[in-house]
Amino acid sequence: MLTFDLLYPTPESGEDDFIELARRADPAALVRPIYFPWPDGVDDLADLPTSERYDAVRCLGSETHLRASIPPLIAKDARPDATIFGVTSASFLQGPEGVAQQLDTLAGITGTPVTSTTAAFQRALGHLGISRVSLASIYHRDGS
């Protein structure tokens, strides 16, 4: 059975969708959530003004934060087949080049192939020949 580690910051906020989808795949796969912390000072995004949410999410996916928070959580004796960064908001903020850099950083940290929800969206759009999309987001364009 293929095994995937799912890097996810907030328990009980949607990761069950990844787990269920993998269970239904043929052949079935195992998804193991690995909860990594939000940056210091961030307890609940809902309590932050919008501009601070934007900064918190940007920091969550930053190379500095990933390198500091992920390594202690990786099980050295139970390496997965691949790792998923399941935080779309923290992976699209730096544009396509930022997505690639983030995946490279995470591959270096985990020692596994890595994908993210944003990378999967990009790949699917490319496969379908779609070059323009509409996006709805809780984040304001100007970060406020």
Side-chain angles (χ1 to χ4, degrees):
M1 176 181 289
L2 288 175
T3 302
F4 301 93
D5 280 353
L6 172 65
L7 301 176
Y8 212 72
T10 309
E12 299 180 19
S13 63
E15 70 277 27
D16 55 325
D17 290 340
F18 290 94
I19 295 165
E20 181 61 19
L21 181 62
R23 188 189 68 72
R24 290 182 182 196
D26 186 18
L30 174 66
V31 172
R32 303 181 304 201
I34 295 178
Y35 300 107
F36 68 104
W38 281 89
D40 289 340
V42 178
D43 294 318
D44 187 350
L45 284 182
D47 294 340
L48 298 176
T50 304
S51 62
E52 290 180 33
R53 286 182 201 165
Y54 185 82
D55 292 340
V57 170
R58 186 180 300 278
C59 184
L60 179 73
S62 71
E63 181 175 356
T64 301
H65 184 71
L66 296 174
R67 288 193 183 282
S69 62
I70 301 296
L73 305 174
I74 302 296
K76 303 299 182 208
D77 59 341
R79 188 170 298 232
D81 295 291
T83 302
I84 304 163
F85 186 67
V87 193
T88 307
S89 58
S91 64
F92 73 78
L93 292 173
Q94 302 297 331
E97 296 80 21
V99 172
Q101 180 183 6
Q102 191 176 61
L103 295 179
D104 287 345
T105 296
L106 289 167
I109 292 169
T110 65
T112 69
V114 178
T115 192
S116 67
T117 48
T118 299
F121 292 153
Q122 289 174 327
R123 196 167 297 131
L125 292 170
H127 177 77
L128 295 170
I130 297 171
S131 61
R132 188 172 176 176
V133 297
S134 295
L135 176 67
S137 174
I138 64 167
Y139 305 103
H140 294 265
R141 177 182 294 260
D142 66 359
S144 61

